[in-house]
Amino acid sequence: MQKNRFLLLLLPLVTLILEILPYGAVCNFAVSPTETMRETFSYFSLTPYGYANFTPFITAVLTVVVFALLLIYCLTGKQKLKNVSFYILIAACILSFGQLLFGLSYFSVVGLLISLTLIAQVPMMKFFHTK
């Protein structure tokens, strides 16, 4: 087993840590007709999901799936698992920007960092060869 395969787990782990933090998913609540209150949640929280902000939770679930598939790939070396996780990662990258559909006020710095770590993972997975 090659130890350098485990480098593929670094960025998904960083992404999961960022998704666990309670600052990624944003909901803006109207407290009066002229004033809104901004609250942030973990990507794993179902509160934004309940307010129709679906993409953070789905992104978090896809990141867990990518991490699990890559962990199994690192332990077994089955190339198919890496290929499948690559396409799931692409879906997670696209969905990570889904909060922008509501407006820029629904996107946080942590959400941007999550998106950037997912994007940085794409070339790493595509060009990382272990034979």
Side-chain angles (χ1 to χ4, degrees):
M1 172 179 15
Q2 293 185 355
K3 301 220 184 270
N4 59 356
R5 280 190 206 151
F6 287 96
L7 290 175
L8 285 174
L9 296 175
L10 183 63
L11 281 176
L13 184 64
V14 170
T15 306
L16 283 173
I17 291 169
L18 287 171
E19 289 173 347
I20 290 170
L21 294 176
Y23 308 112
V26 178
C27 285
N28 293 317
F29 298 104
V31 276
S32 73
T34 59
E35 184 181 347
T36 60
M37 180 178 66
R38 177 184 169 125
E39 284 192 39
T40 57
F41 302 90
S42 165
Y43 266 47
F44 291 98
S45 173
L46 290 176
T47 302
Y49 192 86
Y51 285 100
N53 192 356
F54 303 113
T55 58
F57 183 72
I58 297 171
T59 302
V61 169
L62 291 178
T63 305
V64 169
V65 170
V66 167
F67 183 78
L69 288 173
L70 286 176
L71 181 62
I72 296 169
Y73 163 72
C74 289
L75 296 173
T76 64
K78 294 186 179 183
Q79 188 67 27
K80 227 179 220 189
L81 293 172
K82 183 180 161 199
N83 295 340
V84 169
S85 63
F86 177 76
Y87 294 112
I88 295 172
L89 176 65
I90 296 295
C93 287
I94 293 167
L95 285 172
S96 69
F97 289 103
Q99 296 180 80
L100 288 174
L101 294 174
F102 294 114
L104 196 55
S105 65
Y106 283 85
F107 207 61
S108 67
V109 173
V110 174
L112 177 65
L113 289 174
I114 290 168
S115 297
L116 291 177
T117 57
L118 288 169
I119 290 170
Q121 203 174 334
V122 171
M124 187 175 171
M125 282 185 59
K126 191 64 178 168
F127 300 112
F128 189 84
H129 298 289
T130 55
K131 301 240 178 189

